[in-house]
Amino acid sequence: MHVYHDSLEFRTNGKGLYEITEDVQAKIDKRGVRNGTVTVFVQHTSCSVVIMENADPTARRDLEEFFDRLVPEAVDYFTHSSEGSDDMPSHIRMALTRTSETIPIVDEKMQLGTWQGIFLFEHRRAPHRRKVSITIIGE
């Protein structure tokens, strides 16, 4: 059994879902792991990692719209606003989703469903540089 650590870095253009499935699979391919798991962990408190539909972009737009309505920006009951009116809402959106996902690897491929992809879910309006830690365990 081997453990490999790697990282990815992405530049977002503001709020939205950014698919990173192929980038993660490339790290698995590089290590030659046939069977095991991969954990994808984002090292931030204002974005998250989600597994979401990757075939129809309207599903992703609906998710973004849902979070905009669930956790609105610029409301008077948030006191934390060090980095602007989207600061606290981005932290809440991250807490409601996840900062990591673990996916099984079988025969060198992630076992995602037919319409599943791995996405970095950016919750801030401004562009950001995001670091993602990848841990691959297997043989």
Side-chain angles (χ1 to χ4, degrees):
M1 188 73 60
H2 295 91
V3 178
Y4 302 100
H5 297 285
D6 215 325
S7 63
L8 294 165
E9 197 166 301
F10 300 97
R11 183 89 177 143
T12 67
N13 296 317
K15 289 170 73 169
L17 289 146
Y18 298 84
E19 187 164 10
I20 63 172
T21 310
E22 290 181 12
D23 300 286
V24 174
Q25 184 63 54
K27 297 295 185 181
I28 295 166
D29 295 343
K30 175 183 165 187
R31 299 301 184 175
V33 171
R34 288 198 47 77
N35 297 294
T37 60
V38 59
T39 299
V40 181
F41 174 77
V42 65
Q43 299 173 298
H44 303 277
T45 62
S46 57
C47 66
S48 50
V49 174
V50 296
I51 293 178
M52 183 61 188
E53 154 120 26
N54 68 352
D56 185 348
T58 62
R60 295 187 297 278
R61 283 196 297 274
D62 287 346
L63 181 66
E64 293 168 18
E65 178 67 23
F66 173 79
F67 270 90
D68 284 343
R69 291 178 186 209
L70 182 66
V71 189
E73 296 178 13
V75 293
D76 61 359
Y77 49 85
F78 291 144
T79 57
H80 176 75
S81 61
S82 301
E83 297 176 34
S85 63
D86 68 340
D87 194 11
M88 191 61 215
S90 70
H91 296 312
I92 293 171
R93 291 171 183 171
M94 180 277 306
L96 292 173
T97 52
R98 299 171 56 87
T99 54
S100 69
E101 292 286 351
T102 299
I103 301 109
I105 302 167
V106 176
D107 295 330
E108 301 178 355
K109 299 294 178 201
M110 289 185 288
Q111 296 300 290
L112 294 168
T114 302
W115 309 115
Q116 289 181 321
I118 305 167
F119 291 84
L120 177 80
F121 194 0
E122 177 63 68
H123 303 301
R124 300 300 304 270
R125 284 191 311 271
H128 281 78
R129 179 159 304 202
R130 300 304 193 176
K131 294 179 183 177
V132 177
S133 176
I134 306 291
T135 301
I136 303 166
I137 301 173
E139 45 192 22

